[in-house]
């Protein structure tokens, strides 16, 4: 969600979904419901949160750095956000993107009225468009790619706001799920490939939109359906709902990593329980990469469902051989490498009495840089494990994501630099195996991956990006023109 190149957190060993969005129209408790919905989506963004509301006469906003419970801890915030329509956003920041100016939803007064937007995803031609807009006199208040959408709407020559909105969307590429508000309506939409998720629900006469179904559950809303790829849904204050698909119906490419890690396990995505899919991935992994062992141990918490599946398929007992403390802040906020390394041990501790003398299978959702895997393998050895075998519930992450996920530059991804044998030595495991990409597709209900037209966006594994990457291409072209003595980091 930032115009700079996305980087991972300083620890660098977990992919991070950058945003979660929520919106509701048609209830006097709109702001309170939005705060509750954002709390359910806290895993999608833990550094900043914002809510914008509309009371029939004007827009109100409150934004802050920190968790939802910190920023909206007092009941007084409800009086600051009146009205029957509200939308909100939780986010992770990327390099150059910290600070209140980038906290969403973004709001602007346009010629035809106020407009706010909450965005999950990443616009892959945002820098190109920003340069064009700035050259025409536009003044940007943030470094967020989301602000590009507002400027495109403001400068469109179409007569109605909805026509201007559609015109703006036609100019952008990449991934987006949006919840927008105008004085007359709430608008929810997904990009034509549906890369990022968005669902719709109902609670009484109110309509709710959210990144995941778990947010509907938490606020007491009933799931209605997913917003279709390329669909724009408008809901007016009186409840009238209309839908249009101005971009045709290209083959969808929803992000497959939502099933692997991003979504909460108690969500439903594409009609499938995320929890059950993760168990199915573990079963596929057990079929593809069996090993003689005494215990199956998850790397908490994201490895738990896949580890259950692996244990069920293999017949090897499942045990909690690593205990996670839930009262430790995120690793990347530590100021030094030494503090970050110590923080890994504060977050995870070996269950020594269980592990000692055992051959164990460690199950994790992914390996990014490999540093955390190496430390956890060593932790198991220090606890007396006889053998440590690592199994990963996703294919090797070999490519960066440009669709709203924090990933390092490609040369910092372990799987982009090493083959599996080299990675095994790097993390000092007795063996290492990843689920195959076909195994992953089988787990999500497909017979196999259609290599000519993949059913999901799996670019982080395959390198097959489903859209143009204009900003990346222009950066690479500029780098190619630099003198040989000048590196990319100069």
């Amino acid at each position: 969600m930032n115009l700079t190149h996305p980087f991972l957190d300083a620890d660098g060993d977990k992919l991070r979904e950058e945003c979660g969005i929520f919106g509701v129209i048609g209830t006097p408790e709109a702001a309170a419901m939005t705060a509750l919905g954002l709390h359910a989506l806290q895993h999608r963004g833990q550094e900043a949160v914002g809510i914008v509301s509309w009371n029939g006469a004007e827009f109100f906003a409150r934004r802050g750095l920190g968790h939802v419970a910190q920023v909206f801890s007092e009941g007084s915030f409800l009086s600051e956000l009146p009205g029957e329509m509200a939308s909100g956003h939780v986010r992770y920041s990327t390099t150059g993107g910290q600070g209140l100016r980038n906290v969403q939803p973004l709001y602007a007064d346009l010629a035809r009225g106020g407009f706010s937007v909450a965005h999950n995803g990443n616009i892959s031609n945002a820098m190109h468009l920003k340069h064009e807009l700035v050259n025409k006199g536009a003044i940007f208040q943030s470094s967020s790619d989301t602000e590009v959408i507002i400027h495109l709407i403001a400068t469109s020559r179409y007569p109605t706001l909805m026509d201007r909105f559609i015109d703006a969307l036609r100019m952008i590429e990449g991934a987006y799920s949006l919840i927008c508000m105008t004085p007359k309506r709430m608008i929810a939409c997904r990009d034509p490939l549906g890369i990022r998720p968005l669902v719709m629900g109902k609670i009484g006469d109110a309509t709710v939109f959210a990144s995941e179904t778990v947010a509907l559950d938490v606020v007491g809303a009933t799931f209605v359906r997913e917003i279709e790829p390329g669909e724009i849904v408008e809901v007016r204050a009186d409840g009238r709902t209309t839908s249009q698909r101005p971009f045709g119906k290209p083959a969808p490419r929803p992000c497959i990593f939502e099933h692997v890690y991003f979504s909460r396990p108690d969500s439903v995505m594409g009609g499938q329980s995320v929890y059950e899919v993760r168990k199915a991935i573990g079963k596929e992994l057990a079929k593809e990469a069996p090993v003689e062992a005494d215990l199956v141990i998850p790397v908490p918490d994201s490895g738990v469902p896949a580890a259950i599946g692996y244990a069920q398929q293999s017949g090897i007992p499942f045990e909690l051989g690593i205990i996670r403390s839930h009262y430790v802040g995120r690793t990347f906020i530590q100021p030094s490498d030494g503090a970050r390394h110590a923080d890994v041990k504060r977050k995870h501790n070996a269950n020594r009495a269980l592990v000692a003398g055992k051959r164990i299978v460690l199950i994790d959702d992914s390996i990014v840089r490999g540093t955390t895997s190496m430390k956890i393998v060593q932790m198991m050895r220090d606890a007396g494990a006889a053998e440590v075998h690592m199994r990963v519930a996703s294919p090797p992450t070999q490519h960066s994501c440009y669709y709203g996920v924090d990933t390092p530059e490609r040369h910092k991804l372990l799987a982009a630099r090493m083959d599996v044998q080299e990675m095994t030595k790097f993390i000092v495991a007795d063996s290492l195996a990843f689920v195959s990409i076909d195994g992953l597709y089988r787990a999500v209900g497909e017979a196999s991956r259609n290599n000519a037209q993949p059913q999901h966006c799996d670019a982080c594994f395959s390198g097959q990006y489903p859209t143009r990457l204009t900003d990346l291409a222009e950066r690479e072209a500029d780098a190619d023109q630099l003198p040989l003595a000048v590196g990319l980091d100069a």
Side-chain angles (χ1 to χ4, degrees):
M1 300 297 299
N2 186 275
L3 288 174
T4 57
H5 180 73
F7 290 86
L8 203 64
D9 59 72
D11 184 61
D13 217 20
K14 280 292 180 186
L15 298 179
R16 300 286 185 185
E17 235 288 16
E18 289 183 19
C19 309
I21 57 177
F22 185 95
V24 59
I25 180 172
T27 173
E29 300 178 341
M33 190 177 295
T34 299
L36 186 59
L38 291 176
H39 192 274
L41 299 173
Q42 187 74 86
H43 59 288
R44 300 182 76 91
Q46 297 183 28
E47 289 179 14
V49 57
I51 295 176
V52 172
S53 71
W54 167 257
N55 74 341
E58 61 181 306
F59 284 92
F60 299 84
R62 179 167 174 171
R63 304 179 180 90
L65 303 179
H67 289 189
V68 177
Q70 295 170 319
V71 177
F72 297 99
S73 60
E74 301 176 0
S76 60
F77 83 85
L78 296 175
S79 62
E80 299 175 23
L81 297 167
E84 297 192 354
M85 178 168 61
S87 64
H89 186 274
V90 289
R91 77 187 293 266
Y92 284 121
S93 68
T94 54
T95 299
Q98 296 180 356
L100 283 173
R101 67 178 185 146
N102 287 317
V103 180
Q104 295 187 34
L106 299 184
Y107 168 80
D109 282 309
L110 306 181
R112 295 186 176 273
F115 185 86
S116 79
V117 56
H119 173 203
N120 174 27
N122 193 66
I123 299 171
S124 58
N125 64 337
M127 282 299 298
H128 177 85
L129 292 170
K130 181 179 180 180
H131 290 155
E132 291 184 343
L133 288 162
V134 169
N135 287 336
K136 294 177 182 178
I139 300 173
F140 281 75
Q141 301 298 314
S142 75
S143 60
S144 169
D145 59 350
T146 307
E147 192 176 355
V148 170
I149 299 172
I150 293 175
H151 282 277
L152 291 174
I153 295 170
T155 55
S156 173
R157 296 184 177 276
Y158 281 85
T160 69
L161 181 58
M162 182 54 65
D163 286 338
R164 289 173 174 234
F165 180 62
I166 294 171
D167 184 42
L169 296 185
R170 291 189 190 280
M171 287 185 272
I172 64 177
E173 63 187 39
Y176 56 84
S177 286
L178 305 175
I179 297 176
C180 308
M181 297 194 305
T182 78
K184 296 181 178 180
R185 62 178 76 86
M186 177 168 281
I187 305 167
C189 71
R190 291 173 77 187
D191 66 79
L193 298 180
I195 298 173
R196 300 260 68 84
L198 192 62
V199 298
M200 179 169 66
K202 292 285 290 186
I203 179 168
D205 294 329
T207 301
V208 183
F209 299 101
S211 292
E212 294 182 38
T213 61
V214 66
L216 304 182
D217 297 338
V218 167
V219 303
T222 301
F223 172 75
V224 174
R225 64 180 179 87
E226 293 188 356
I227 303 302
E228 295 295 323
E231 182 183 21
I232 299 175
V233 176
E234 298 177 67
V235 182
R236 293 184 175 269
D238 61 6
R240 285 183 296 153
T241 302
T242 58
S243 170
Q244 57 180 309
R245 308 251 330 229
F247 312 115
K249 293 185 178 181
R253 296 282 293 275
C255 172
I256 201 166
F257 214 86
E258 290 283 352
H259 288 289
V260 173
Y261 177 72
F262 295 144
S263 295
R264 266 180 50 163
D266 46 346
S267 281
V268 174
M269 188 156 297
Q272 296 176 292
S273 159
V274 173
Y275 177 78
E276 292 297 333
V277 167
R278 289 178 186 167
K279 281 175 57 180
I281 296 172
K283 291 179 179 180
E284 291 290 337
L285 189 54
K287 294 174 187 176
E288 295 180 349
V291 63
E292 291 187 7
D294 302 308
L295 299 176
V296 174
I297 293 175
V299 177
D301 289 322
S302 56
V304 172
I308 292 172
Y310 192 100
Q312 290 176 347
Q313 180 65 37
S314 66
I316 302 171
F318 169 94
E319 295 286 357
L320 295 179
I322 302 172
I323 307 302
R324 180 190 173 194
S325 171
H326 292 269
Y327 305 99
V328 179
R330 293 181 63 222
T331 303
F332 77 96
I333 65 174
Q334 303 298 332
S336 68
D337 286 342
R340 284 194 296 270
H341 295 166
D343 200 52
V344 171
K345 298 198 74 172
R346 290 194 297 123
K347 281 186 176 181
H348 300 104
N349 189 52
N351 190 345
R352 185 179 296 270
L354 181 72
V355 168
K358 300 296 197 304
R359 300 169 299 172
I360 64 173
V361 185
L362 283 175
I363 309 291
D364 205 356
D365 62 274
S366 61
I367 292 179
V368 182
R369 298 182 193 236
T371 52
T372 298
S373 298
M374 178 172 58
K375 294 166 193 171
I376 289 178
V377 168
Q378 187 59 48
M379 184 191 300
M380 294 292 97
R381 295 200 186 281
D382 292 343
E387 297 176 10
V388 183
H389 303 273
M390 176 71 78
R391 296 294 181 265
V392 183
S394 61
T397 303
Q398 296 180 307
H399 304 270
S400 296
C401 176
Y402 301 96
Y403 299 121
V405 177
D406 253 348
T407 51
E409 295 167 301
R410 191 179 179 215
H411 72 271
K412 296 178 182 178
L413 294 168
L414 192 66
R417 299 186 286 113
M418 301 180 183
D419 61 24
V420 173
Q421 185 176 2
E422 292 169 327
M423 294 171 73
T424 306
K425 292 179 180 178
F426 179 85
I427 67 171
V428 201
D430 290 283
S431 70
L432 169 66
F434 298 79
V435 73
S436 68
I437 198 161
D438 279 338
L440 179 58
Y441 270 79
R442 286 192 294 271
V444 298
E446 305 285 352
S448 63
R449 181 180 189 268
N450 182 339
N451 293 325
Q453 183 62 52
Q455 304 94 314
H456 292 268
C457 178
D458 55 26
C460 54
F461 308 131
S462 67
Q464 287 185 249
Y465 295 96
T467 74
R468 292 177 296 178
L469 301 174
T470 297
D471 289 347
L472 175 65
E474 291 182 355
R475 283 198 302 269
E476 291 177 342
D478 290 342
D480 287 342
Q481 295 173 16
L482 291 174
L484 293 178
V486 179
L488 289 177
D489 295 328

